[in-house]
Amino acid sequence: MGNMQPMNKNEEKKSDNFNNCFMEDIMSRLILYVGSFLLVWGITATSLAQKGFVQTPHGVSYKELKIGQGAEAQLGDTATIHFVGWLSNNGKRGKEIYNSRKEKKEVSFVIGTDKIIQGWNDGVIGMKAGGSRLLRIPPEQGYGVKGVVDVIPPNAPLVFIVELIRIE
């Protein structure tokens, strides 16, 4: 280190410019990385925080409202349920389309069959008797392009609250 000469004003200015450019580059990269991280984290947190919803491989999302007891419903089981269905209004309940309690009619079906909408098959798998779930069913897992005349318009997303009464 012995032979250090003091810098003249011109050299000092060049050094300051280099340091400033270097620091600006580091700061802009840091801001970019931190901003990207926060953006991704924010999107992920928002997606995960969809207020406790889980998404099935078919695009049905559900939220546990009440955990039941006993064995979990699986493909091939007969599920007996009560449900209330609504047209979706941006993921929330819109116009009510059916209420099995009001009709005093339980509904039974074999999980995994094509006798019901696919969204119900996905929505009840893993439930336990006495439990209830809020289901958000996209049109392709509901009534699709056909809809149900005078009840469900074509391509309508649906919202259900399903209560699993028993599994057989």
Side-chain angles (χ1 to χ4, degrees):
M1 304 216 198
N3 203 357
M4 292 205 55
Q5 299 288 325
M7 288 193 265
N8 66 34
K9 294 277 185 200
N10 206 15
E11 289 173 339
E12 237 177 88
K13 194 172 189 177
K14 284 182 187 177
S15 178
D16 286 345
N17 285 342
F18 174 79
N19 287 337
N20 287 342
C21 288
F22 181 74
M23 288 306 292
E24 284 176 9
D25 184 54
I26 287 176
M27 290 304 291
S28 63
R29 288 176 192 239
L30 181 62
I31 289 169
L32 178 66
Y33 292 139
V34 169
S36 297
F37 171 79
L38 291 175
L39 177 65
V40 169
W41 184 82
I43 290 170
T44 304
T46 301
S47 300
L48 292 176
Q50 283 267 348
K51 296 162 189 89
F53 281 86
V54 175
Q55 189 162 12
T56 71
H58 294 112
V60 173
S61 57
Y62 66 86
K63 179 180 182 177
E64 299 288 351
L65 300 177
K66 179 182 174 190
I67 308 266
Q69 296 182 357
E72 292 185 350
Q74 299 297 321
L75 287 173
D77 289 344
T78 299
T80 302
I81 65 170
H82 269 301
F83 73 95
V84 182
W86 297 270
L87 296 175
S88 177
N89 183 7
N90 293 321
K92 298 192 181 351
R93 301 176 200 168
K95 178 185 171 196
E96 186 174 298
I97 55 175
Y98 191 82
N99 184 328
S100 67
R101 286 205 180 274
K102 282 183 186 174
E103 300 295 323
K104 297 182 172 120
K105 293 181 182 177
E106 296 175 345
V107 175
S108 294
F109 61 94
V110 177
I111 301 170
T113 65
D114 60 0
K115 306 267 188 238
I116 59 163
I117 60 174
Q118 180 63 42
W120 276 11
N121 283 319
D122 282 8
V124 299
I125 290 175
M127 286 183 74
K128 298 177 181 183
S132 60
R133 282 183 179 169
L134 174 63
L135 307 179
R136 291 181 181 164
I137 300 178
E140 57 277 5
Q141 300 303 315
Y143 292 95
V145 295
K146 294 180 182 178
V148 176
V149 177
D150 297 327
V151 180
I152 301 172
N155 294 313
L158 304 170
V159 177
F160 289 93
I161 291 182
V162 174
E163 178 189 346
L164 182 60
I165 298 166
R166 67 182 163 275
I167 307 166
E168 301 173 289

